[in-house]
Amino acid sequence: MIIDCHGHYTTAPADLQKYRDGQIAGLKDPAHVPQKAQLSISDDQIRESLEGAQLKFQRQRGTDLTIFSPRASAMAHHIGNETTSKHWTQACNDLIKRVCDLYPENFIGVCQLPQSPGVAPANSAAELERCVKDLGFVGCNLNPDPSGGHWTAPPLTDKHWYPLYEKMVELDVPAMVHVSSSCNANFHATGAHYINADTTAFMQFIQGDLFKDFPTLKFIIPHGGGAVPYHWGRYRGLAQDMKRPLLPEMMRNNVFFDTCVYHQPGIDLLFKVVPLDNILFGSEMVGAVRGIDPETGNYYDDTKRYLDALPLTDADRKKVFEGNAMRAYPLLGKRLAKKQ
Ligand SMILES: [Zn+2]
């Protein structure tokens, strides 16, 4: 089976954004009473939104199952307050659940969390629990910077985050470290803010003792681990100078990178330097880069092609496409067994 660990519902029917626009407009009106979403999206509209996009690409590219979450750039945790974020998050997660119910063979859910700048991560635990226990999801996207590019929250290794980690460990689900849109003009969202966050999270994991405190806590760092593979020597050297564990040891059962790297040399480098057991197949389709590479004639985000071109053994290929995802998302195997 070929599991794509990184897909977003970037093509959701317009009614979802309409609700969000109303929410944002309401923030300016002191008389506005925040309302939970009541979307009038039909099953056919959901089918239509996926058939020409994510499902088409799954079929064309020969992948089987996408670990599917709400549109990451739209999480925008910096907008509004805790209630704004909670209502928006629930609407987005409920829609993912409907996608998974309509196409149980093709999608399995990962949730957005109701984060807000300055609000304790513990307050996100209830929505995580609802998504895992009631909606059948297998993980969450955790935004290390709910301020949207101003980095006002403590590092991911700080005890600030521990109550949420306790819930993740209890439920046996990982988090993909995933920022959202940037409201800092210095950082383009997908070109800078995303890659910065991936790199930043990895360095924080080197510095902290998080996995001593939570030996089973798991994170997926997307976009191929940001700048880390290219600067692997720098991070090895820093870890050594700081008398921290070796990188493969730190990552072993706790930190995984996906393959959302949009050219062959980048994928070649990723597999050359990062332990294969810590790499999960992912494409982030339909997502950050939607065009076709004129040099190859293929979509930039058709990352399966780059993996197909690697000289991997069958056993290693199976790990990257399936086995490693099963390790990173412990509930995945259980959920899939139930579906059969
Ligand atoms: Zn993403």
Side-chain angles (χ1 to χ4, degrees), residues 82 86 114-115 119-128 163-164:
E82 192 176 358
K86 192 171 155 191
Q115 300 176 248
V119 173
N123 296 15
S124 295
E127 177 64 4
L128 176 62
L164 180 64

Side-chain angles (χ1 to χ4, degrees), residues 6 28 47 55 59 61 91 125 127 140 148 164 166 221-222 227 236 244-245 276 289 294 308:
H6 193 166
K28 292 185 193 127
R47 287 191 192 99
L55 286 168
R59 289 173 191 135
R61 299 174 186 184
E127 177 64 4
C140 59
L164 180 64
E166 281 161 17
I221 299 185
R236 282 181 57 222
R244 305 299 302 167
L276 184 128
V289 177
D308 289 346

Side-chain angles (χ1 to χ4, degrees), residues 47-63:
R47 287 191 192 99
E48 211 176 296
S49 72
L50 295 160
E51 285 289 347
Q54 290 86 352
L55 286 168
K56 182 182 82 178
F57 289 128
Q58 274 188 355
R59 289 173 191 135
Q60 277 178 358
R61 299 174 186 184
T63 66

Side-chain angles (χ1 to χ4, degrees), residues 45-333:
Q45 282 176 310
I46 294 176
R47 287 191 192 99
E48 211 176 296
S49 72
L50 295 160
E51 285 289 347
Q54 290 86 352
L55 286 168
K56 182 182 82 178
F57 289 128
Q58 274 188 355
R59 289 173 191 135
Q60 277 178 358
R61 299 174 186 184
T63 66
D64 299 306
L65 178 78
T66 301
I67 299 180
F68 205 50
S69 61
R71 185 154 72 104
S73 60
M75 297 190 296
H77 294 116
H78 57 276
I79 294 176
N81 54 33
E82 192 176 358
T83 307
T84 318
S85 201
K86 192 171 155 191
H87 288 169
W88 173 234
T89 297
Q90 286 178 345
C92 292
N93 290 336
D94 287 346
L95 203 54
I96 294 294
K97 163 71 171 157
R98 288 183 63 192
V99 167
C100 298
D101 285 349
L102 285 171
Y103 296 97
E105 307 281 312
N106 301 85
F107 299 104
I108 194 153
V110 152
C111 66
Q112 168 179 333
L113 293 172
Q115 300 176 248
S116 281
V119 173
N123 296 15
S124 295
E127 177 64 4
L128 176 62
E129 184 154 21
R130 181 183 83 93
C131 289
V132 174
K133 286 192 172 165
D134 302 345
L135 309 188
F137 290 10
V138 296
C140 59
N141 289 336
L142 175 64
N143 186 349
D145 174 30
S147 73
H150 295 285
W151 291 93
T152 55
L156 287 170
T157 47
D158 191 276
K159 292 203 161 47
H160 170 79
W161 301 94
Y162 276 26
L164 180 64
Y165 298 159
E166 281 161 17
K167 185 53 75 178
M168 284 167 57
V169 166
E170 179 198 316
L171 296 168
D172 212 8
V173 294
M176 181 175 276
V177 177
H178 208 312
V179 287
S180 184
S181 55
S182 162
C183 57
N184 180 336
N186 287 289
F187 304 127
H188 180 273
T190 51
H193 189 38
Y194 279 28
I195 307 300
N196 291 348
D198 304 334
T199 312
T200 297
F202 190 79
M203 190 63 218
Q204 291 177 359
F205 294 151
I206 289 177
Q207 288 177 275
D209 279 320
L210 192 51
F211 305 119
K212 259 190 205 158
D213 290 346
F214 296 99
T216 63
L217 187 65
K218 293 179 176 62
F219 292 98
I220 297 95
I221 299 185
H223 322 113
V228 172
Y230 192 66
H231 288 286
W232 194 245
R234 173 176 294 252
Y235 294 105
R236 282 181 57 222
L238 284 168
Q240 186 175 317
D241 288 352
M242 296 162 71
K243 312 223 178 320
R244 305 299 302 167
L246 298 174
L247 303 187
E249 198 185 304
M250 183 276 280
M251 291 180 75
R252 189 158 290 130
N253 293 310
N254 304 100
V255 181
F256 300 84
F257 290 175
D258 74 11
T259 63
C260 297
V261 174
Y262 294 156
H263 65 153
Q264 189 71 48
I267 290 285
D268 293 348
L269 172 72
L270 176 69
F271 278 79
K272 209 168 177 180
V273 299
V274 174
L276 184 128
D277 285 349
N278 297 83
I279 301 175
L280 312 181
F281 168 63
S283 71
E284 204 175 13
M285 67 91 176
V286 176
V289 177
R290 301 189 183 199
I292 290 176
D293 183 346
E295 290 180 11
T296 65
N298 300 313
Y299 284 97
Y300 286 100
D301 69 2
D302 187 357
T303 55
K304 182 169 169 291
R305 280 178 185 272
Y306 312 134
L307 299 197
D308 289 346
L310 288 177
L312 298 177
T313 64
D314 288 350
D316 281 350
R317 200 170 292 283
K318 198 168 180 229
K319 278 185 182 177
V320 174
F321 280 132
E322 181 185 325
N324 294 345
M326 295 292 187
R327 284 175 51 233
Y329 297 82
L331 293 186
L332 188 54

